[in-house]
Amino acid sequence: MKFIIKIFLMGILSYLLPFYFSWWSIALGAGLISLLIRGSNFNSFNGGVIAGGLVWFYLSFTIDNATNSILSEKIALLMNLTDSIWLIYASTLIGALVTGLGSLTGSLLRSILSPKKMSRNEYVSYS
Amino acid sequence: MKFIGFFLSLFVTASLITLLNMPFDNIPPIGKLLSPHQGFWQNSEKEPISLDKFIELIELKESVTVQFDELLIPHINAKNNEDLYMTQGYVTAYHRLWQMDFYARVVMGRLSEVVGIKALEYDRLQRRLGLKDMTLKLHDELMKDVYYASIISSYTNGVNTYIASLSQGDYPIEFKLLDYEPEKWTTVKTCMAYALLASTLSRSEADIEHTNFRKMFGENLFNVLFPEPDGTSAPVIPKDTPFDFEPVSQPQKPEKFEVQHIVNESISKQNPLNGSNNFAIDSTKSKSGHAILANEPDLELTAPSIWYASHLTSPDINVMGVTVPGTPVILIGFNDSISWGVTNSPRDQVDWFSVTFKDASRKEYLYNNQWFKTEQILEEIVIKNADNFIDTIIRVHHGPIVYDRDYLSNHEKVNLAMRWIAHDESTTFKALFNFNKANNYDEFVEGLRFFSGPPQNIIYSDTKGNIALNLPGKFPIKFPGQGKFILDGSDPDSEWKKYIPFEHRLERYNHPQGFLSSANQFPVDRTTYPYYVYSHRFENYRNRRVNDRLITMQNIEPEDLMSLQNDNFNYIASEILPYLLSQLDTLSLNEDQNKFFDELQNWDYFNHPNLKAPTNFELWSDILWDQLWDEFDTMSFAVNKPDIYTTSQLILSDSLVGFSDRLSTPEKETTSDLINYAFDIAVDSLNEWLSINGKNHSWNEFKGTEVNHLISSFTSFNSKNISIGGNHNIVNAASKHHGPSWRMVVEMDPQGINAYGVYPGSQTGNPGNPMYGHMITPWAEGKYYNLKFGQNKLLVGDILYEIQLTPQE
């Protein structure tokens, strides 16, 4: 459940932040969520990949669909791509990777900053 | 361990972002470009217009309505002129912001800043030509006048308000692809169109090429190959026009006034294919009894189009037409009472003066047997991904030294100063504002007084049925031959001293023949006009075709003038093809050659898009011309080849003075040999073309007219293989890259005028807009749109989109 919530929150931030900040603010957003909400590094990365990938896929796909690929076809030609669909894939991949890595970094920072989670054994011995 | 993991992850993340946010050579930052929020996706538009319906503007005085019609032409309705021009700036920027930025960079010599070192030589030339200085001078003069200062400031504010409203995602696609951001618009940039147009239209000259040729081959051959027209064949001003004034005394030709130089390479000139047609008929020729005016400037076909159409209304003004984006005035258009249009009038507006410096420091130069101080200007050019370049430009009293040891002088120590009318103070802006508001011919002529260039044949018609042609502007009074060749900069007698008074200008107001026309031809019968008129190149075909047609046409309706604008008659072919065919040895033709010959034999000389004969003629005549003047290709110095008209005349009179010999063969060819040889090569070239292209050689396919984006590498923003007839020297002047950039026909009905127009492009400059380039096909097919003005005024049902701009509270 926490995993779903994390994905959801990272998705919201990935959607909103770039309207106000640079495009790579998606990494900061995801990092922040993983810093605040606990989760394994593996899950944090995956969550980021899913959230960022989904949002960037959704946005590029809907724009492309609504506009009949009017511009993506021209940009694809400029980049020597045979089909504008590759641009949606590329956008999705960038959104996914950058958000995923941001999320992973946030998760790793959390493990440094919160000593309680550093080691379960230590925690037990103190109690 | 944890620290290592974190820092490693941070490092990888940061590296990836940096990589994706970094440009590589000509590739923009890929992460930014592909971001759905900020990248190119945001430039994909579903609807033709995406402006907010209600916009608050800080500096606005009262509310303004803008109604966009189905062509996306804004009809701006303001309650005062400041608001009017501010809104014009705002909506023009909405459609064409990147293009405006680009033009400003062209004029200021700042393209290298955004496209890199490949534009350096271009920027250097622009600065050496003084386009930036001209613009600053024009700006400073205009800003002294409260009326014009307020127009220019308002327009500038409008552009800046629009820029300020943009987020990164809203920037036009070209900014994203070239990876830079729009900078603040300035009042100086609002004045850029003058230098842009002057450089496009009034820089045609061949002083250096002529000097080289004459030095190598002598005056006699020069006069044969580069004759001066006498103006008796369909000039702009009809031959029966009297000039009953006492001319200003002309300067004496000095004993020895020209210098002998050889200059290997000369600066690039305006394209000779820039030309235009305009014509007007009066009430006697017109079916409705109203004057009708037609105009089309033939320029390089670009995307975005050089023109932006708008309809400006305030209590003071009601004008519609086109202008260069970034400029707050209508350049070609009409109001309730008058209409006007322009064609370029080739006149020698540039002379080159050879300058002698005292020594290598170039601090003093020789003039009138004395040493005078030079002025030194350092021009710093910022280059993307490279160090700044500093160009040292020396100025003397004639003007800037364009050719010197740093620029195209081939170490020959040739220093050439440019004397160009366009460097002088210009008031052309004021002329145009006066045209926009003129109610009758007298008011129009008052406007003409301010017109200082670039020289144009300005055609006029009004709702009272009058028509007129004027060639206003600043013209030096020259002794015959002055400025055909490089002049001696140390000799005061070689300089321009006086200018032709406005009252002595070339003018024709109405004419018994019922029409007036111009098409870049020689302006006047030399024997009737007392002043020396010269340019190295004039049109000789379109003007005659237009006149031939207008003489026979009666009961003319606007549609007839539209047909004339789209007329495909190939005058060159009609004059020379029968002779060429008669010279062919037809007995020895093979099958392909026979077919080629038959296609030409059965041709009526119309360059219609679906015909094959125009292709055959183009190939044959081009190859003939190349072979004829192959001697010129071996010359290592700058030289021009004789033009098509002169060449045709020489062929027809069989007086090619030895040029018919092909250098690559030992035989001595005659003209007839050469014609036969060119024919064989033409058939071979056609076969080669057919095997490469795999389609038939109809004229439209072969010519392949294109409208290309201003950035040549943005190939997918271009329109290729546009099916249109015509060619250079044909009234429908659509060649491969040039053609009618705005076709306009206006019927001057006093009950409300009827106006029609079309241009090869679209109001929107965004390749991601569904209406990008939507007028290109109709334009190619010769169709016109009703312009929503006068009798066809914009009705509620025609409004595509409406916005309200209100003062911010």
Side-chain angles (χ1 to χ4, degrees):
Chain A
M1 188 59 194
K2 201 186 268 173
F3 183 59
I4 304 288
I5 291 172
K6 267 182 87 167
I7 291 177
F8 183 70
L9 289 175
M10 285 194 283
I12 295 216
L13 287 186
S14 297
Y15 180 78
L16 290 178
L17 284 178
F19 282 119
Y20 307 98
F21 306 102
S22 181
W23 66 272
W24 50 266
S25 56
I26 50 174
L28 298 179
L32 186 72
I33 299 296
S34 288
L35 184 68
L36 295 177
I37 303 174
R38 214 175 95 182
S40 73
N41 293 335
F42 183 70
N43 274 352
S44 295
F45 178 74
N46 283 346
V49 164
I50 293 169
L54 272 180
V55 167
W56 279 41
F57 173 79
Y58 170 77
L59 285 173
S60 53
F61 178 78
T62 47
I63 291 173
D64 201 46
N65 199 35
T67 59
N68 288 320
S69 309
I70 185 161
L71 189 56
S72 54
E73 281 178 359
K74 297 186 175 99
I75 300 291
L77 282 172
L78 286 187
M79 296 182 169
N80 288 322
L81 300 174
T82 47
D83 194 325
S84 60
I85 193 85
W86 290 105
L87 290 172
I88 299 179
Y89 296 157
S91 286
T92 305
L93 183 70
I94 292 172
L97 268 183
V98 171
T99 316
L101 283 168
S103 175
L104 175 65
T105 312
S107 174
L108 288 164
L109 182 62
R110 181 185 171 87
S111 58
I112 297 173
L113 295 181
S114 51
K116 283 179 186 171
K117 279 185 291 143
M118 281 170 72
S119 156
R120 230 164 252 271
N121 291 341
E122 267 179 68
Y123 177 76
V124 171
S125 67
Y126 280 119
S127 60
Chain B
M1 190 59 206
K2 282 161 197 144
F3 281 90
I4 293 175
F6 165 69
F7 281 115
L8 193 68
S9 172
L10 184 66
F11 176 74
V12 171
T13 312
S15 305
L16 180 70
I17 289 173
T18 311
L19 216 62
L20 291 170
N21 208 32
M22 205 160 74
F24 290 95
D25 235 5
N26 291 323
I27 303 165
I30 206 76
K32 205 158 138 192
L33 185 71
L34 291 180
S35 147
H37 299 84
Q38 288 157 7
F40 83 88
W41 297 108
Q42 284 296 318
N43 301 87
S44 313
E45 292 187 85
K46 192 179 172 193
E47 302 293 335
I49 296 186
S50 57
L51 278 169
D52 288 339
K53 296 229 170 197
F54 297 95
I55 298 168
E56 288 192 345
L57 296 187
I58 301 176
E59 316 231 5
L60 214 60
K61 293 199 170 88
E62 295 173 81
S63 68
V64 179
T65 311
V66 184
Q67 297 169 327
F68 291 90
D69 65 25
E70 286 164 347
L71 300 176
L72 307 184
I73 298 175
H75 298 256
I76 304 173
N77 204 325
K79 299 191 177 74
N80 60 73
N81 282 353
E82 284 91 337
D83 287 355
L84 178 67
Y85 292 111
M86 182 162 176
T87 309
Q88 193 195 7
Y90 190 92
V91 296
T92 311
Y94 166 65
H95 273 140
R96 302 285 186 89
L97 178 62
W98 176 79
Q99 180 188 18
M100 290 162 62
D101 179 90
F102 180 84
Y103 284 163
R105 290 180 183 281
V106 165
V107 167
M108 305 310 259
R110 289 183 52 206
L111 269 185
S112 306
E113 242 171 78
V114 295
V115 303
I117 198 137
K118 61 180 174 229
L120 177 60
E121 287 310 301
Y122 185 79
D123 283 344
R124 282 185 74 189
L125 177 61
Q126 300 296 80
R127 297 207 194 190
R128 280 175 172 260
L129 292 173
L131 301 190
K132 186 175 94 178
D133 302 334
M134 283 157 62
T135 307
L136 290 170
K137 200 150 130 188
L138 175 76
H139 168 261
D140 294 348
E141 275 307 309
L142 280 172
M143 295 306 272
K144 282 182 198 156
D145 186 314
V146 182
Y147 179 74
Y148 295 105
S150 100
I151 290 171
I152 288 165
S153 304
S154 302
Y155 187 90
T156 306
N157 280 339
V159 178
N160 278 327
T161 315
Y162 178 72
I163 294 174
S165 76
L166 299 179
S167 68
Q168 280 212 354
D170 301 326
Y171 293 161
I173 183 68
E174 292 92 343
F175 285 107
K176 298 179 186 178
L177 290 171
L178 295 170
D179 190 31
Y180 75 106
E181 297 189 354
E183 60 179 27
K184 209 168 148 62
W185 195 252
T186 61
T187 49
V188 173
K189 292 182 189 174
T190 299
C191 300
M192 74 189 172
Y194 173 68
L196 187 75
L197 292 175
S199 186
T200 310
L201 300 171
S202 79
R203 225 158 47 67
S204 180
E205 44 86 14
D207 305 10
I208 288 162
E209 293 79 357
H210 287 174
T211 304
N212 287 345
F213 188 91
R214 191 183 56 170
K215 180 167 180 178
M216 300 305 288
F217 303 101
E219 186 115 26
N220 290 339
L221 187 58
F222 175 83
N223 288 334
V224 171
L225 298 186
F226 305 96
E228 287 190 34
D230 56 12
T232 53
S233 163
V236 175
I237 300 297
K239 282 193 276 186
D240 57 3
T241 305
F243 297 101
D244 44 9
F245 49 77
E246 190 58 42
V248 177
S249 65
Q250 317 226 357
Q252 286 296 310
K253 187 171 177 171
E255 263 317 282
K256 183 176 167 294
F257 67 101
E258 283 150 354
V259 288
Q260 305 277 333
H261 279 307
I262 290 290
V263 179
N264 288 4
E265 193 186 344
S266 63
I267 57 171
S268 63
K269 313 288 179 359
Q270 68 193 51
N271 194 301
L273 297 176
N274 290 341
S276 315
N277 304 307
N278 61 24
F279 30 92
I281 58 154
D282 68 16
S283 45
T284 63
K285 275 259 178 194
S286 148
K287 188 173 181 187
S288 63
H290 311 305
I292 312 177
L293 176 143
N295 182 205
E296 112 273 329
D298 302 321
L299 298 169
E300 189 180 353
L301 302 172
T302 61
S305 162
I306 179 139
W307 302 115
Y308 183 77
S310 44
H311 177 189
L312 310 178
T313 320
S314 76
D316 189 36
I317 204 165
N318 179 21
V319 65
M320 187 168 186
V322 292
T323 190
V324 176
T327 306
V329 65
I330 298 297
L331 291 184
I332 298 171
F334 47 86
N335 60 30
D336 295 324
S337 318
I338 70 144
S339 56
W340 76 97
V342 298
T343 67
N344 202 38
S345 173
R347 287 284 273 274
D348 192 4
Q349 295 263 297
V350 176
D351 280 348
W352 294 98
F353 288 87
S354 172
V355 173
T356 309
F357 292 120
K358 191 174 187 181
D359 52 45
S361 71
R362 305 194 293 180
K363 291 205 166 91
E364 291 176 84
Y365 69 106
L366 186 64
Y367 178 67
N368 204 10
N369 298 318
Q370 295 169 59
W371 296 107
F372 285 82
K373 289 231 169 337
T374 62
E375 190 189 342
Q376 195 180 66
I377 301 158
L378 297 181
E379 286 286 350
E380 181 162 16
I381 301 174
V382 180
I383 308 167
K384 186 179 174 183
N385 300 330
D387 293 337
N388 292 359
F389 181 89
I390 295 176
D391 207 10
T392 308
I393 301 171
I394 309 284
R395 284 186 68 91
V396 294
H397 77 278
H398 304 90
I401 300 211
V402 176
Y403 295 82
D404 63 13
R405 64 186 183 202
D406 300 322
Y407 201 79
L408 297 183
S409 83
N410 338 298
H411 314 292
E412 276 202 43
K413 297 186 178 139
V414 178
N415 297 293
L416 299 178
M418 183 190 203
R419 177 73 183 97
W420 183 17
I421 293 273
H423 285 147
D424 297 5
E425 190 186 313
S426 166
T427 47
T428 295
F429 245 108
K430 296 185 185 177
L432 291 161
F433 280 106
N434 276 276
F435 297 170
N436 283 205
K437 293 200 293 185
N439 292 305
N440 52 51
Y441 190 60
D442 287 343
E443 290 180 20
F444 189 75
V445 171
E446 281 314 299
L448 289 173
R449 270 179 200 284
F450 291 110
F451 193 91
S452 54
Q456 300 292 303
N457 304 304
I458 305 182
I459 200 149
Y460 164 95
S461 77
D462 63 30
T463 48
K464 296 189 184 76
N466 300 307
I467 57 174
L469 248 178
N470 274 276
L471 278 82
K474 192 173 181 186
F475 303 106
I477 300 176
K478 292 184 171 185
F479 54 80
Q482 185 176 10
K484 263 172 98 168
F485 307 96
I486 300 172
L487 295 163
D488 180 356
S490 68
D491 174 15
D493 290 338
S494 291
E495 285 183 277
W496 307 347
K497 300 225 163 52
K498 288 183 248 173
Y499 299 88
I500 299 175
F502 177 73
E503 284 69 25
H504 296 183
R505 74 187 181 284
L506 293 167
E507 177 199 22
R508 181 74 207 203
Y509 182 61
N510 290 322
H511 193 279
Q513 70 189 357
F515 71 88
L516 291 167
S517 78
S518 78
N520 322 107
Q521 73 270 42
F522 196 79
V524 65
D525 182 346
R526 218 181 254 290
T527 57
T528 64
Y529 191 57
Y531 297 106
Y532 176 66
V533 174
Y534 177 72
S535 173
H536 73 109
R537 186 185 281 118
F538 289 101
E539 173 64 35
N540 273 299
Y541 296 101
R542 284 184 280 114
N543 56 324
R544 287 188 285 156
R545 176 62 180 173
V546 167
N547 281 11
D548 289 356
R549 291 293 304 134
L550 287 174
I551 286 166
T552 57
M553 288 162 74
Q554 299 295 341
N555 285 321
I556 296 172
E557 295 182 83
E559 290 72 22
D560 300 317
L561 293 191
M562 294 174 198
S563 304
L564 183 51
Q565 283 191 330
N566 287 276
D567 184 274
N568 285 331
F569 185 69
N570 189 332
Y571 220 117
I572 302 176
S574 79
E575 285 190 343
I576 197 166
L577 184 60
Y579 180 78
L580 297 184
L581 290 172
S582 75
Q583 296 299 304
L584 273 187
D585 177 12
T586 48
L587 292 173
S588 60
L589 297 183
N590 64 30
E591 194 184 328
D592 285 345
Q593 290 170 332
N594 248 321
K595 203 168 151 230
F596 193 99
F597 176 82
D598 282 344
E599 283 167 2
L600 285 172
Q601 184 90 317
N602 299 319
W603 184 34
D604 59 1
Y605 312 121
F606 279 88
N607 272 35
H608 292 320
N610 58 331
L611 297 181
K612 289 171 180 158
T615 305
N616 300 6
F617 176 73
E618 178 82 353
L619 271 169
W620 190 10
S621 56
D622 273 1
I623 290 165
L624 180 61
W625 192 74
D626 281 346
Q627 291 295 330
L628 196 49
W629 306 122
D630 58 348
E631 287 81 1
F632 285 70
D633 298 329
T634 61
M635 299 173 192
S636 62
F637 43 86
V639 67
N640 282 347
K641 294 181 181 179
D643 65 20
I644 293 173
Y645 181 75
T646 308
T647 307
S648 300
Q649 298 306 307
L650 292 172
I651 292 174
L652 289 172
S653 59
D654 200 7
S655 43
L656 281 167
V657 286
F659 280 96
S660 55
D661 181 36
R662 285 171 54 221
L663 295 183
S664 53
T665 60
E667 294 86 32
K668 197 92 182 139
E669 281 90 356
T670 64
T671 307
S672 178
D673 292 340
L674 197 67
I675 290 170
N676 277 280
Y677 171 77
F679 181 85
D680 294 350
I681 302 287
V683 175
D684 293 348
S685 318
L686 179 62
N687 286 334
E688 195 184 323
W689 187 90
L690 289 169
S691 67
I692 292 171
N693 291 279
K695 44 190 175 189
N696 75 49
H697 61 288
S698 60
W699 177 231
N700 57 338
E701 296 282 3
F702 183 79
K703 178 174 58 144
T705 296
E706 301 175 351
V707 177
N708 289 337
H709 193 271
L710 289 167
I711 298 291
S712 56
S713 58
F714 295 169
T715 47
S716 61
F717 299 168
N718 302 344
S719 299
K720 302 268 186 207
N721 284 322
I722 301 163
S723 179
I724 181 170
N727 201 8
H728 54 82
N729 304 92
I730 292 176
V731 180
N732 182 16
S735 52
K736 189 174 176 75
H737 298 289
H738 281 73
S741 58
W742 161 243
R743 289 196 189 114
M744 175 180 90
V745 174
V746 194
E747 184 180 28
M748 302 305 293
D749 185 341
Q751 304 300 317
I753 67 171
N754 292 303
Y756 311 87
V758 68
Y759 67 85
S762 54
Q763 292 284 94
T764 175
N766 179 18
N769 188 287
M771 288 179 79
Y772 180 71
H774 74 106
M775 287 188 280
I776 293 178
T777 306
W779 165 83
E781 290 167 349
K783 291 185 181 144
Y784 291 71
Y785 296 96
N786 276 323
L787 299 175
K788 300 297 179 186
F789 190 93
Q791 286 194 10
N792 296 311
K793 69 172 188 289
L794 192 63
L795 302 173
V796 178
D798 304 324
I799 301 170
L800 185 80
Y801 201 84
E802 180 168 334
I803 60 171
Q804 298 281 341
L805 297 101
T806 47
Q808 198 170 46
E809 310 216 334

